[in-house]
Amino acid sequence: SDDSDRRGSIYLTPNIGYFLADGLMAEANFALTYIRFKNFSSSNQPGVETRNFKVLNTSLEFNLRNYLKNSDKLLPYVTGGAGYQTYRSVTTVGASGDRLNDTGLFSYQAGVGASWFLSPNVAFDGSLRYHSEAYEEINLDVQYELNSIQAEVGLRFFLKR
């Protein structure tokens, strides 16, 4: 059997935005994330029970994005916002069975990016952002704080008014 620590995740997030003023966009995004840790241990010492940990995360975040005028094709921007997340986790500790926990928390983020317009309504978008959230399951002694730098790339579609 393979006793190595294995992790995997799937992340899906559609965004929608509306220009409030020239260059200032309000955005909302809904994210759905599935994370799995297999043979996860909170200690590197021999004899400590391992855990299988599965999390389904949903989040709703609101951001402001301010496009800085640079050229007709390349528009850099700054962005920031906050949101609320819910976690539903199932943890298996040794042979003691599954434990279910639901948790809600707030998160925040800030970042920079740029949109390269391929046409008037389609842009290639890249961003780098700082994202912070904290998670704790007191009954199961599972804690982590996730402060991450995230790089994202994708296409943005802009609809005409």
Side-chain angles (χ1 to χ4, degrees):
S1 91
D2 183 8
D3 290 333
S4 64
D5 183 12
R6 290 182 283 172
R7 303 166 189 224
S9 64
I10 297 172
Y11 180 70
L12 175 66
T13 179
N15 296 292
I16 189 166
Y18 182 79
F19 280 100
L20 302 172
D22 189 31
L24 181 63
M25 177 185 285
E27 289 184 308
N29 62 43
F30 174 77
L32 182 63
T33 308
Y34 175 78
I35 304 169
R36 177 185 66 123
F37 297 98
K38 189 169 183 177
N39 297 325
F40 167 72
S41 174
S42 58
S43 173
N44 291 328
Q45 298 175 5
V48 174
E49 285 187 320
T50 61
R51 305 166 186 199
N52 292 328
F53 186 59
K54 294 184 270 188
V55 178
L56 178 62
N57 166 243
T58 56
S59 69
L60 181 61
E61 296 179 333
F62 298 97
N63 300 300
L64 284 178
R65 178 183 290 228
N66 189 20
Y67 284 95
L68 311 169
K69 297 288 182 184
N70 193 18
S71 73
D72 289 338
K73 289 233 177 234
L74 180 66
L75 292 177
Y77 60 83
V78 294
T79 186
Y84 185 77
Q85 302 187 36
T86 62
Y87 283 89
R88 169 162 277 199
S89 64
V90 177
T91 304
T92 305
V93 181
S96 62
D98 291 345
R99 297 179 189 164
L100 179 66
N101 190 51
D102 290 319
T103 304
L105 59 96
F106 288 95
S107 64
Y108 64 90
Q109 60 186 5
V112 296
S115 295
W116 179 267
F117 280 84
L118 306 172
S119 74
N121 299 87
V122 179
F124 178 76
D125 193 80
S127 67
L128 189 63
R129 67 181 180 158
Y130 172 81
H131 188 267
S132 180
E133 63 186 58
Y135 179 78
E136 182 173 6
E137 286 187 49
I138 296 169
N139 296 339
L140 300 178
D141 193 29
V142 175
Q143 302 174 15
Y144 71 85
E145 184 174 326
L146 181 60
N147 296 311
S148 60
I149 301 293
Q150 299 175 347
E152 297 179 339
V153 294
L155 292 176
R156 284 192 162 280
F157 301 93
F158 295 84
L159 304 176
K160 295 180 183 179
R161 289 186 188 203

